[in-house]
Amino acid sequence: MSVSPVAPREPGDAYGRVAELHAIRERARGGTGRRATEAQHAKGKLTARERIELLLDAGSFHEVEQLRRHRATGFGLEAKRPYTDGVITGWGAVEGRTVFVYAHDFRIFGGALGEAHATKIHKVMDLALAAGAPLVSLNDGAGARIQEGVSALAGYGGIFQRHAKASGIIPQISVMLGPCAGGAAYSPALTDFVFMVRDTSQMFITGPDVVKAVTGEEISHNGLGGADVHAEASGVCHFAYDDEETCLAEVRYLLSLLPRNSQENPPADDSEDPAGRRCDALLDLVPANGRLPYDMRAVIEEIVDDGEYLEVHERWATNVLCCLARLGGRTVGVIANQPQFLAGVLDARASEKAARFVQMCDAFNIPLVTLVDVPGFLPGVDQEHGGIIRHGAKLLYAYCNATVPRISLVLRKAYGGAYIVMDSRSIGADLTYAWPTNEIAVMGAEGAAGVIFRKQIAEAADPEAMRVRMVEEYKSALMHPYYAAERGLVDDVIDPAATREVLIRSLAMLCTKRAELPPRKHGNPPL
């Protein structure tokens, strides 16, 4: 069978046009060329497209407005009109679920934001909200494009407005992979989670040069706004990692624990960890003596599925732990006092950290499990002047306002106002359990006895012996493990080894919980 020869194609016919399209797309994907890519790699940074490939499932990315170019003139801009305008936008999948993404391309205008650049981001943010899917921003830009003036600033305003509109509706995750200065830093601050990479990413409102000019202080970029600073000192950063590959892998893991939007539940996972597994190790992990410290992380690891959890704000306000994990295959948010640091007391930072986490979990239908071992609020002039009342009220408000399933478990101490704030029965916990080692009281026995029996102790022939006797009397009357249970403030006192099974069964019962808040425009929480 003979085959007719293919006739030559004219440049203007359909085949020629398609060839032209492919050539343009290839230019757009290449950015500004090999040298710019090599310069990016020389800084230890991946390109925007390499980052997207790591974040999303292979072959799932669909780019939007790849051929967009700016229309600005002046300062030589009319001669530089690269495709994408320095930001790559679109959608793909993470473990098969839709995720929207935009990534600054530092090779083009240093990733600086101009009018066209901003419009592309607005487009993908609107699509994410309309589709009800998470939004991930891969940030590596030099801020507003100075040559475009106020048009660039207006572009940031549109981004901020959309972040606020989407808040609590879809998960928003910011991944800091380069510099983020000035007003641009408010974009990640408005999102649910901020990831940073050490040495290559920084965030600050005014850079080191401005700080030196105004205050005389000399400081490096990382010293002012690096990953460790924001992970430990400011609390701006939720997660910090040594390299981009690990960082993006953890973003994928976080997304696997979250629902696509506030109208859905987080995805369930078929865990092979038996729901009825006994946790006998807990009897050794937690000393009965309330004065002895221990690592609450070990308790969480023993209870949750396969011992896996993702700790949020791991290095900030370390006296309270906030973790995402699974129990019986269901995502849960765990809030726990950490006796290893400051004896697990609540202070201003810990209250703020936990309040934010509770609000996030409630927004995205993640049940709350609270592990309580708290001796109270941290006393001191600094705490009072720093607004401990206001910050403690944030946590109280967050719990009271939460409508997701809520279970609290008192392991040892639960004293004073801190007991109430840590999701006690009186502020709406659905179920409250306690271990036989629990001590729920207004304050510790020593302090209480010193107040109640002050006169008797002072007048006794042997004040110290009288004090010891009064402490024991107070403990036996008001602080025995079953006092709260007898009054219905604790639903049950449980064997610590049965903790995992009790929590999983309770969460299964509460999974159909429906609760509504009173009609209102919005609440007015303490700030």
Side-chain angles (χ1 to χ4, degrees), residues 124-467:
V124 79
M125 294 180 79
D126 290 341
L127 284 173
L129 187 58
L135 174 71
V136 179
S137 62
L138 306 180
N139 298 271
D140 185 8
R145 196 174 300 170
I146 299 173
Q147 299 93 322
E148 295 194 30
V150 71
S151 296
L153 295 179
Y156 273 122
I159 292 172
F160 302 158
Q161 188 268 342
R162 285 168 172 82
H163 278 314
K165 183 178 179 181
S167 180
I169 300 176
I170 58 171
Q172 300 182 84
I173 299 172
S174 296
V175 188
M176 313 310 296
L177 302 167
C180 184
Y186 287 115
S187 174
L190 288 168
T191 60
D192 300 301
F193 298 98
V194 176
F195 288 72
M196 294 187 73
V197 175
R198 294 184 181 91
D199 298 327
T200 59
S201 63
Q202 302 90 28
M203 295 172 64
F204 36 69
I205 299 299
T206 54
D209 293 341
V210 176
V211 169
K212 182 180 179 180
V214 174
T215 70
E217 298 171 287
E218 291 194 24
I219 192 167
S220 68
H221 285 78
N222 281 321
L224 181 62
D228 290 327
V229 168
H230 288 309
E232 297 176 11
S234 73
V236 170
C237 169
H238 299 81
F239 306 97
Y241 299 99
D242 291 329
D243 57 81
E244 294 189 20
E245 292 82 358
T246 303
C247 180
L248 292 170
E250 290 298 285
V251 175
R252 286 178 59 88
Y253 179 47
L254 172 60
L255 286 166
S256 75
L257 295 167
L258 301 175
R260 291 186 300 178
N261 57 66
S262 60
Q263 300 303 307
E264 298 182 2
N265 291 323
D269 182 62
D270 295 327
S271 173
E272 296 182 359
D273 194 348
R277 171 174 58 81
R278 286 182 60 81
C279 303
D280 294 298
L282 293 176
L283 296 168
D284 296 316
L285 286 173
V286 182
N289 184 346
R291 294 180 178 275
L292 297 178
Y294 62 93
D295 190 352
M296 184 65 84
R297 291 189 181 95
V299 175
I300 295 171
E301 186 174 337
E302 180 66 22
I303 293 171
V304 301
D305 291 358
D306 305 309
E308 294 182 356
Y309 61 90
L310 180 64
E311 187 172 348
V312 180
H313 271 143
E314 178 181 356
R315 295 159 60 197
W316 184 63
T318 52
N319 42 321
V320 70
L321 303 178
C322 298
C323 309
L324 289 170
R326 285 192 173 96
L327 275 170
R330 292 184 172 94
T331 299
V332 295
V334 180
I335 303 94
N337 305 111
Q338 172 58 299
Q340 203 170 48
F341 296 95
L342 294 176
V345 298
L346 287 177
D347 60 5
R349 283 188 170 186
S351 300
E352 184 176 2
K353 169 181 170 178
R356 169 77 175 186
F357 184 75
V358 168
Q359 289 175 169
M360 184 280 299
C361 288
D362 187 52
F364 296 116
N365 306 312
I366 300 173
L368 297 168
V369 174
T370 305
L371 305 179
V372 184
D373 190 350
V374 61
F377 281 96
L378 182 64
V381 174
D382 289 344
Q383 285 295 306
E384 296 295 345
H385 290 184
I388 183 63
I389 296 172
R390 178 167 49 85
H391 290 290
K394 291 181 184 179
L395 181 54
L396 183 61
Y397 185 98
Y399 270 126
C400 290
N401 206 47
T403 60
V404 293
R406 293 157 51 189
I407 301 173
S408 64
L409 170 65
V410 180
L411 281 63
R412 296 194 308 185
K413 303 180 297 298
Y415 294 162
Y419 153 66
I420 299 172
V421 168
M422 289 296 292
D423 205 19
S424 64
R425 178 73 169 273
S426 59
I427 65 169
D430 297 297
L431 290 168
T432 302
Y433 298 110
W435 284 359
T437 47
N438 82 82
E439 292 182 353
I440 303 174
V442 175
M443 63 176 68
E446 289 79 6
V451 173
I452 298 173
F453 305 112
R454 179 173 60 248
K455 186 176 181 181
Q456 294 94 314
I457 293 172
E459 294 176 350
D462 187 344
E464 180 58 23
M466 175 63 75
R467 188 192 65 80

Side-chain angles (χ1 to χ4, degrees), residues 359 390 393-394 397-398 401 517 520-527:
Q359 289 175 169
R390 178 167 49 85
K394 291 181 184 179
Y397 185 98
N401 206 47
L517 295 172
R520 58 185 173 185
K521 185 174 182 181
H522 57 74
N524 187 24
L527 297 175

